[in-house]
Amino acid sequence: MKMKNKALYIAALASVLTTGCTDNFDTINTDPTKATAANWDPNYFLPNAQNSYINLGYGSMLYQAPAMQVLASTFSYYGNGDKYVNTQNSTSYQGTLFNTTYSTGTVLSEMLSLTQGKDQYSNLYNVGRIMQAMNILRGTDVYGDVPYTEAFKVKTSGIAQPKYDTQQSIYTAMLTDLDAAISALDASKAKITGDLYYGGDINKWKRFGYSLMLRSAMRLVKIDPATAKTWAEKAAAGGVFTSNADNAMEIADANNATSGIYSVYQVADDFRELRFSKTFIDALKSAGDPRLSAIAEVPQAGLANNKTQTLVGDNTASIQMGLPNGYDLNGGTTDIRKATGYPGPTGTGDDVAPLGNYSRPRISVYLKKAGTLMVMTYAETEFLLAEAKVRGWNVPGTAADHYKNGVIAAITELAQLDASATVSTDVATAFATAHPLDVSSTEASLNAINTQYWLETGSTFNFIETWMNWRRSGYPALAPVNYPGNVTNGQIPRRMIYLSSEILNNPTNYKDAVSRLTGGDLLTSRVWWDK
């Protein structure tokens, strides 16, 4: 379903939902232009929340994409994630997902307050609970302890400085609430409207809820494997995604909105400077993975051609080459032009492109306003089921079959990004058959499964999830860069730093949360489940 005019939903959020001048509630004194809780349709809030949740732009592109070595750049702006150095507006971008969590959560909270206890909105209420669980869980996964029980209560209870709940307590509450919300969904009740992900299909929302439950359970495998097992088994029994038709995604409306990460790629500097990482391209190329030519291209020669956003490149698999992370174009020892293996520029004279031989994301797939934003996919779910089975948990099927299903789905789902990225099921199946799960040891299996998860989420530009799963699994084993002046002592960031305004606006609760972080409010500190 295409995203509606974003302005309509922003107006919905901005609406105070107050009554007009209503002394004694006389009809004559009621302003008919004001929306009230009685006449407002809360369905209007859902698409705004859905778009806000996934339409992240630099919130996932600047740090997570290069830190996970899916993308790379010599451009100073991307030094934040590529080299772990603080560059332009770094603290602002570190706090971006904090803002997103609570702006999205405010919309969902308002929607929930207008639907609770109203049978005609039962499904909308429970979809809202699922969305809020996903939203809060992402917030706590990014930062650690965050406000939850006292969040969104400034209007109802006057709480402007909410306490930060522990991540452990948030997971306990969210998994329980998620379970209750899924169970309460009922396809025989009134359909929700304006749903950007599933067009109101309640059966798909059930599968989404259980897939989210599985993903959340797997976050806990190191810190609390018993709880992880219980919830993963419950999710599998409840019914998770069964095909790419279940993929949760938003297709942006090119006429009325930009689509997050793809709109970043449309910026002239970003388009010219962003390349696929050597780590990522090498992983695809060494396996003969058919995704390589579907997602990557080498620009046509010369700086002018490199800058032209309408000029397609060459997607021949054999010529693709990734840019190593951790380099610049500053003329010193870290200049990519001095690096071993540098292929040289393209073009001549004044029309030279220093990065011209390195692979970029294909413009037909990723440079589009009507881009597809993936929220959660069948492929991811199959990989998580494969891991659960490797761990010996009671889920249906075999680890090898779930892994194979995940690989096939990850390759064929690219057609949902753009038709030009289509790889046939036959080709995908042949590749998956030729590259079965490595069962030589538990660690070998976990490495293979989570490397495929990295490739899948990287290919769909779902960089937040790429980062989350790498942190909890440890795979693939990425070699961090150690660029001069980096702020992490050569470590890949493990969390983002809290929104800087919290230091001023909520100082007591902020300090309390920071005191529970080993090392303090740093990029290198670890959240509760990240051991």
Side-chain angles (χ1 to χ4, degrees):
M1 177 179 290
K2 292 213 172 191
M3 188 174 67
K4 308 293 184 185
N5 191 325
K6 188 175 179 183
L8 172 62
Y9 304 111
I10 293 175
L13 173 60
S15 172
V16 190
L17 298 179
T18 60
T19 56
C21 183
T22 53
D23 283 346
N24 300 318
F25 299 96
D26 291 338
T27 302
I28 194 170
N29 287 330
T30 300
D31 185 345
T33 68
K34 296 290 185 181
T36 71
N39 65 23
W40 182 260
D41 183 352
N43 281 285
Y44 288 138
F45 285 107
L46 181 61
N48 179 268
Q50 290 176 321
N51 180 57
S52 174
Y53 174 83
I54 195 59
N55 199 21
L56 298 177
Y58 284 110
S60 68
M61 199 78 145
L62 203 60
Y63 278 91
Q64 290 80 9
M68 288 297 93
Q69 298 176 20
V70 177
L71 299 181
S73 181
T74 58
F75 193 41
S76 60
Y77 203 50
Y78 283 89
N80 292 283
D82 189 83
K83 304 168 185 65
Y84 333 135
V85 297
N86 288 335
T87 62
Q88 307 163 26
N89 300 318
S90 58
T91 57
S92 173
Y93 285 114
Q94 290 161 8
T96 292
L97 283 161
F98 195 94
N99 261 335
T100 300
T101 298
Y102 292 99
S103 60
T104 302
T106 297
V107 178
L108 289 168
S109 178
E110 188 69 33
M111 186 179 83
L112 291 171
S113 72
L114 293 175
T115 55
Q116 187 171 14
K118 298 177 182 179
D119 194 59
Q120 71 271 33
Y121 296 127
S122 174
N123 282 324
L124 181 62
Y125 173 68
N126 288 297
V127 164
R129 293 167 74 187
I130 293 171
M131 285 288 303
Q132 191 70 293
M134 180 171 65
N135 177 52
I136 295 295
L137 285 167
R138 186 177 69 184
T140 189
D141 287 346
V142 170
Y143 296 101
D145 298 353
V146 293
Y148 170 57
T149 55
E150 292 183 357
F152 319 119
K153 291 190 175 180
V154 66
K155 177 179 170 183
T156 58
S157 304
I159 299 175
Q161 295 179 324
K163 70 177 183 180
Y164 284 55
D165 296 271
T166 66
Q167 185 173 58
Q168 183 176 11
S169 68
I170 291 171
Y171 260 82
T172 299
M174 290 289 88
L175 284 165
T176 300
D177 197 49
L178 186 59
D179 186 27
I182 299 166
S183 299
L185 288 172
D186 187 344
S188 69
K189 292 187 176 181
K191 189 176 181 179
I192 60 177
T193 60
D195 174 16
L196 298 176
Y197 296 172
Y198 290 126
D201 189 323
I202 295 303
N203 290 322
K204 287 191 175 184
W205 271 108
K206 278 183 173 285
R207 293 193 288 275
F208 177 91
Y210 282 121
S211 299
L212 176 61
M213 182 185 292
L214 173 64
R215 187 173 79 180
S216 302
M218 298 304 287
R219 297 275 202 257
L220 309 181
V221 292
K222 291 181 180 177
I223 192 66
D224 190 351
T227 297
K229 177 178 183 291
T230 296
W231 284 105
E233 290 178 349
K234 185 176 185 64
V240 294
F241 289 162
T242 60
S243 75
N244 280 342
D246 288 330
N247 288 351
M249 57 189 176
E250 175 187 312
I251 302 175
D253 185 335
N255 294 318
N256 297 313
T258 54
S259 50
I261 49 178
Y262 306 130
S263 63
V264 170
Y265 195 38
Q266 292 160 25
V267 176
D269 286 340
D270 300 71
F271 175 75
R272 184 185 67 251
E273 300 290 346
L274 274 172
R275 293 291 188 265
F276 273 119
S277 169
K278 173 178 171 58
T279 311
F280 197 75
I281 292 296
D282 284 357
L284 293 170
K285 197 170 186 178
S286 63
D289 195 309
R291 279 173 285 193
L292 182 56
S293 59
I295 66 171
E297 65 183 17
V298 174
Q300 295 190 31
L303 182 60
N305 288 339
N306 271 240
K307 292 179 179 180
T308 304
Q309 296 187 359
T310 56
L311 194 61
V312 300
D314 188 341
N315 68 327
T316 303
S318 61
I319 69 168
Q320 302 309 314
M321 176 180 291
L323 172 68
N325 294 88
Y327 288 90
D328 56 41
L329 286 169
N330 297 338
T333 58
T334 53
D335 192 307
I336 187 62
R337 291 167 294 193
K338 298 180 181 180
T340 301
Y342 175 62
T346 64
T348 58
D350 295 331
D351 186 41
V352 171
L355 306 180
N357 276 307
Y358 291 115
S359 301
R360 70 185 180 196
R362 283 184 73 190
I363 62 175
S364 62
V365 181
Y366 302 105
L367 189 71
K368 51 194 298 186
K369 290 184 177 180
T372 301
L373 303 173
M374 290 294 191
V375 180
M376 191 163 57
T377 67
Y378 166 61
E380 295 163 31
T381 302
E382 282 291 287
F383 292 135
L384 294 175
L385 288 173
E387 179 174 333
K389 200 67 178 182
V390 166
R391 293 180 179 278
W393 298 351
N394 184 24
V395 299
T398 68
D401 284 345
H402 285 304
Y403 178 81
K404 182 177 181 179
N405 291 341
V407 172
I408 294 169
I411 295 171
T412 56
E413 75 183 2
L414 294 174
Q416 294 177 332
L417 300 184
D418 191 82
S420 65
T422 299
V423 179
S424 73
T425 301
D426 287 346
V427 169
T429 302
F431 175 80
T433 301
H435 297 82
L437 177 64
D438 184 345
V439 295
S440 60
S441 68
T442 296
E443 288 305 309
S445 293
L446 294 178
N447 183 12
I449 290 166
N450 289 291
T451 295
Q452 286 297 324
Y453 200 104
W454 170 73
L455 290 170
E456 190 271 345
T457 52
S459 297
T460 57
F461 275 28
N462 191 357
F463 301 124
I464 297 294
E465 186 56 29
T466 309
W467 181 55
M468 302 293 200
N469 195 69
W470 173 82
R471 289 158 60 208
R472 70 115 197 144
S473 72
Y475 297 111
L478 301 176
V481 303
N482 196 10
Y483 188 83
N486 76 81
V487 297
T488 66
N489 196 28
Q491 299 177 57
I492 297 173
R494 306 296 301 197
R495 63 182 286 276
M496 288 291 103
I497 293 173
Y498 287 121
L499 185 68
S500 58
S501 60
E502 285 290 282
I503 300 172
L504 298 175
N505 297 334
N506 196 4
T508 300
N509 293 311
Y510 163 79
K511 290 176 183 177
D512 186 43
V514 170
S515 72
R516 296 192 291 268
L517 283 167
T518 302
D521 191 11
L522 301 174
L523 294 170
T524 51
S525 297
R526 299 194 180 210
V527 304
W528 166 69
W529 54 251
D530 183 14
K531 302 300 178 186

